[in-house]
Amino acid sequence: MGNLHISWLLLAQCLLLVTRISAKVPAVVVFGDSSVDAGNNNQIPTILRSNFEPYGRDFSGGKPTGRFSNGRVPTDFISQALGLKPFVPAYLDPSYNISDFAIGVTFASAGTGYDTATSDVLSVIPLWKQLESYKEYQNKLRLYLGGIKANETINGALHIMSLGTNDFLENYYTYPGRSSQYSIQQYQDLLIGIAGNFIKQLYHLGARKISLGGLPPMGCLPLERTTNVMGGNDCIADYNNVALEFNGKLKGLTTNLSKELPGIKLVFSNPYYIFLHMIRRPSLYGFEVTSVACCATGMFEMGYACNRNNMFTCTDASKYIFWDSFHPTEKANNIISDYVVKNVLAQFR
C-alpha cells in the first residue's frame, strides 16, 4: 500500500511538472511575411495569395489555407514543439476566434517587410498595422480571459518576428526608390532601426519573450538563381553576403536591447546556416532537388508563387527543398524549425 501511495505521489508530481513546462509558453504570437503567414492575405485585396491548389496539398485536410507551402510553415512546428497546437491560425481568418488566438495567432502578411515601402509594392499588411492588430487582439484577450490572466499570457507568450527578405528582394533590388536614397549598408541600418523600435513597442505592450528571426541565404532562392545566368544559375553570392551582414546587425540589436530592456528575453533565431547546409548537402537530409521548386515547370521558376492548378507540380515534395520559387517545402520548414527550437528556443520550454 505504501508503494502504491508513493507511485501516485510520483505521478502527481510528474503531471504537475508537465503542466508547468507546457505553461511556460502559454501562446505563440507571430509577426512577419510569407514565411509565417497562415492566410491573412486571403482576407485583404492583394494579388499575393496562396489560397489555391496546389498550395496546402499536404496540410491537414489537403486544402490551401493561405500558407505559402505544401503544408505547415515554421511557426506551426514551433507551436507544436512548445506543447501547443500543431498550427498557428491567421488573425483575419473568420474560421477562428479569440478562444483559438489565446493559444496562438499570426498577424503576418506575405510580401511585407520592415520598410512600409515594401508592403506597398503588393498592397499587403505593413508591420505597423500588424502591431495595431496586436493591440486589438490584446483587448479581446482581456475580455476573454480577464485582465490578470490575459497579462500573464502576454508576458509568457513567445513573440516571433520573421521578415526582412522582401525588403531586399522585392524592394531594394527591384525598384529604384530605396536604392537611389540609401547604400545597401544604410538601408540595412534603416531596417535595423525599424526592427528595434518594433521590439520596444512589443516590450511596452507587455511582451517579454521575443524571437527575432534572421534572413535565409536569399541568393539561393530559385527566383534569384534563375537570373544568375552568367554564374551558371548558382546562388547569387552578393545577396547571400547581404543576408549575412544584415543577420550580424540583427544579432547585435538583440544584444543591445537585452541590456536596455529589463526583464526581456530576446533571442536571435538564425536560419541561414542550416538552410545553406541543406542546399549544399541535400542528401544528408533526404533531399534530391535544391535549385528548382516543386511546383515549377522543370525550368527555373520565374514567379513569386505557384501557378494555379500547375500540372507540372512534383509528386513528392519531400524530395525538394523549395515548394515554390521563394518558399521552402513543409519538410524543409520542419528541419529549419527543429534546428531553431533545439539551438535557440529550447530555453523557453
Side-chain angles (χ1 to χ4, degrees):
M1 189 68 181
N3 288 340
L4 187 62
H5 177 72
I6 291 171
S7 297
W8 277 109
L9 190 62
L10 286 171
L11 179 61
Q13 287 175 335
C14 286
L15 288 172
L16 185 63
L17 182 61
V18 168
T19 303
R20 282 176 179 165
I21 290 172
S22 62
K24 282 186 80 173
V25 177
V28 170
V29 179
V30 185
F31 306 92
D33 56 22
S34 58
S35 61
V36 288
D37 186 356
N40 284 313
N41 275 23
N42 294 352
Q43 310 301 324
I44 63 171
T46 177
I47 59 168
L48 189 54
R49 297 181 180 179
S50 58
N51 58 341
F52 54 87
E53 296 178 351
Y55 285 99
R57 73 175 195 192
D58 298 312
F59 194 82
S60 177
K63 294 181 179 179
T65 61
R67 289 169 173 80
F68 282 76
S69 185
N70 59 306
R72 291 193 281 168
V73 294
T75 38
D76 295 322
F77 290 108
I78 291 169
S79 174
Q80 185 172 27
L82 294 172
L84 302 172
K85 289 187 176 181
F87 60 90
V88 179
Y91 184 64
L92 297 182
D93 190 333
S95 305
Y96 301 95
N97 57 43
I98 192 61
S99 65
D100 303 295
F101 301 146
I103 301 167
V105 61
T106 177
F107 301 99
S109 176
T112 202
Y114 288 108
D115 186 356
T116 301
T118 302
S119 57
D120 290 343
V121 172
L122 288 163
S123 302
V124 297
I125 305 169
L127 191 58
W128 67 264
K129 197 166 184 179
Q130 292 184 33
L131 189 72
E132 291 303 306
S133 294
Y134 176 60
K135 293 174 184 176
E136 179 185 79
Y137 159 77
Q138 286 198 352
N139 291 333
K140 291 180 180 178
L141 195 66
R142 290 189 175 96
L143 287 173
Y144 177 66
L145 295 177
I148 294 173
K149 181 69 173 174
N151 288 340
E152 287 176 356
T153 298
I154 293 162
N155 288 159
L158 177 58
H159 294 70
I160 298 173
M161 297 167 60
S162 178
L163 67 165
T165 305
N166 294 317
D167 289 307
F168 296 99
L169 299 186
E170 299 300 310
N171 185 357
Y172 189 87
Y173 288 120
T174 304
Y175 295 96
R178 290 307 195 202
S179 57
S180 64
Q181 293 175 292
Y182 304 98
S183 69
I184 189 63
Q185 284 76 25
Q186 289 171 333
Y187 189 59
Q188 288 177 42
D189 292 340
L190 173 73
L191 301 181
I192 291 295
I194 296 168
N197 287 334
F198 187 81
I199 291 168
K200 288 177 184 177
Q201 289 180 83
L202 286 181
Y203 177 83
H204 292 305
L205 288 168
R208 289 297 179 269
K209 298 175 181 177
I210 303 173
S211 165
L212 178 60
L215 299 187
M218 57 189 185
C220 293
L221 302 180
L223 184 66
E224 305 312 320
R225 293 178 71 163
T226 191
T227 65
N228 192 19
V229 178
M230 297 301 290
N233 294 122
D234 198 2
C235 300
I236 300 177
D238 285 351
Y239 288 0
N240 282 355
N241 289 336
V242 167
L244 283 170
E245 193 174 10
F246 188 65
N247 284 348
K249 292 181 179 182
L250 288 173
K251 186 169 176 51
L253 178 65
T254 62
T255 302
N256 293 336
L257 289 181
S258 293
K259 295 173 184 174
E260 182 182 332
L261 304 173
I264 197 172
K265 282 189 174 180
L266 175 62
V267 297
F268 175 56
S269 295
N270 188 0
Y272 185 95
Y273 295 105
I274 181 65
F275 208 141
L276 189 64
H277 199 249
M278 285 194 301
I279 292 167
R280 297 302 188 205
R281 304 290 298 278
S283 61
L284 295 178
Y285 302 91
F287 293 116
E288 295 178 8
V289 185
T290 65
S291 60
V292 177
C294 173
C295 72
T297 59
M299 306 291 285
F300 282 93
E301 192 74 357
M302 290 300 290
Y304 187 95
C306 302
N307 294 325
R308 288 178 182 268
N309 301 309
N310 189 338
M311 68 180 74
F312 296 103
T313 304
C314 73
T315 54
D316 185 1
S318 69
K319 294 178 181 177
Y320 287 69
I321 291 178
F322 292 99
W323 168 248
D324 62 22
S325 61
F326 217 83
H327 307 98
T329 56
E330 179 181 64
K331 179 180 174 181
N333 281 333
N334 192 3
I335 292 168
I336 294 165
S337 305
D338 186 61
Y339 175 86
V340 170
V341 167
K342 288 177 179 175
N343 291 278
V344 183
L345 304 180
Q347 61 185 284
F348 294 121
R349 287 203 284 187

